[in-house]
Amino acid sequence: MSALPINLVVQTLKEKGLRVTPQRCAVYANLLGRTDHPTVEQLLRDLNQSFPISSQATVYSSLQSLREAGLVREVLLDEGVLRYDANVEPHHHFRCRCCGDITDVAWSAFPALNLSKLPTNLHPETYEVTVHGVCDRCESTQV
Amino acid sequence: MSALPINLVVQTLKEKGLRVTPQRCAVYANLLGRTDHPTVEQLLRDLNQSFPISSQATVYSSLQSLREAGLVREVLLDEGVLRYDANVEPHHHFRCRCCGDITDVAWSAFPALNLSKLPTNLHPETYEVTVHGVCDRCESTQV
DNA sequence: CTTTGTGCAAACGATTTGCAGGATG
DNA sequence: CATCCTGCAAATCGTTTGCACAAAG
């Protein structure tokens, strides 16, 4: 949608040592430009609409490269489909139980949890909170 | 493993209005008797070892019935495989990033989170915390 | 005896892989 | 020009479905 600084995309890929291909740029730029967490199918549909240069396998492999470079994150919540997120800062998630859409929740939304009370046989490193509920759109649609 | 009160299993199924079949009993008893969160594959292997009465499709359909009756819960974290849990009380999860095993974390391990600070377009209902780290076994194995 | 479950095999959907040709650095 | 990416199709994996027979109530 919004005209993203394509130079930034190119530069970021280069900095991470990734080859700069139109397909990779398109995938990354698309993810940067949206706040929902699209599935590969949604991503592919959106990409092909503006510039049909992407096959399914290419999108998967682009996402894998981007993920290995730390530019993109996989999200898997409840449903069996992978979703992708260009926000790699630590944050929480809200998932609508009607439409399945996932919204980022700022890390600062909750006070830091004290992980030291966990059983001693577990060695925690990170955590995240998943909030379940209904989004505004679904709320107004069905009671 | 442990000799579970099979009468309890039978009675619980009846109370929930489920037909009592050997396969269903075996699936539910097995889940009640373990604290890890087995996948269907693990469940099937374990069941067939003691009593080869279960086909894959039957385990799936038994799990579906048990889930609809509220006796069992599906867990899906990071990996693309469904895991099952006979603990239906609210609780959190710990996932080992090495072996993938999931451990229950008591609800009381963390203070209740205040959900009222979320953006107003989100209508939260429940939440849960997922802790990522390494379990004792994996910790001692590698580094 | 009516209803529901079982078990086999086929179908399905998301993801992965193999490979030949093409683009990148 | 050596390496890596693309895109097609086939393969794979977990899960679902259709159906004939059997078991439960």
Side-chain angles (χ1 to χ4, degrees), chain B residues 19 21 23-24 53 55 57-58 61:
Chain B
R19 284 201 180 177
T21 69
Q23 292 84 346
R24 245 173 226 180
I53 49 173
S55 82
T58 302
S61 97

Side-chain angles (χ1 to χ4, degrees), chain A residues 62-125:
Chain A
S62 297
L63 287 169
Q64 185 178 331
S65 306
L66 292 168
R67 183 163 49 80
E68 286 168 2
L71 296 177
V72 145
R73 170 199 286 203
E74 280 181 355
V75 182
L76 182 62
L77 299 180
D78 299 331
E79 56 188 355
V81 204
L82 285 170
R83 291 170 175 274
Y84 290 87
D85 187 359
N87 176 4
V88 292
E89 298 301 309
H91 60 270
H92 308 295
H93 286 119
F94 176 95
R95 177 169 187 272
C96 174
R97 65 169 159 75
C98 298
C99 64
D101 274 5
I102 295 173
T103 308
D104 283 351
V105 172
W107 185 256
S108 59
F110 304 119
L113 294 180
N114 175 10
L115 298 180
S116 64
K117 287 184 185 171
L118 295 179
T120 55
N121 62 323
L122 305 178
H123 308 278
E125 294 168 348

Side-chain angles (χ1 to χ4, degrees), chain B residues 105-118:
Chain B
V105 172
W107 185 256
S108 59
F110 304 119
L113 294 180
N114 175 10
L115 298 181
S116 64
K117 287 183 186 173
L118 294 179

Side-chain angles (χ1 to χ4, degrees), chain B residues 23-24 27 40-41 44 47-48 53-65 84:
Chain B
Q23 292 84 346
R24 245 173 226 180
V27 169
V40 170
E41 187 200 353
L44 190 59
L47 286 172
N48 279 334
I53 49 173
S54 300
S55 82
Q56 177 182 265
T58 302
V59 173
Y60 275 105
S61 97
S62 298
L63 286 170
Q64 185 178 330
S65 306
Y84 289 87

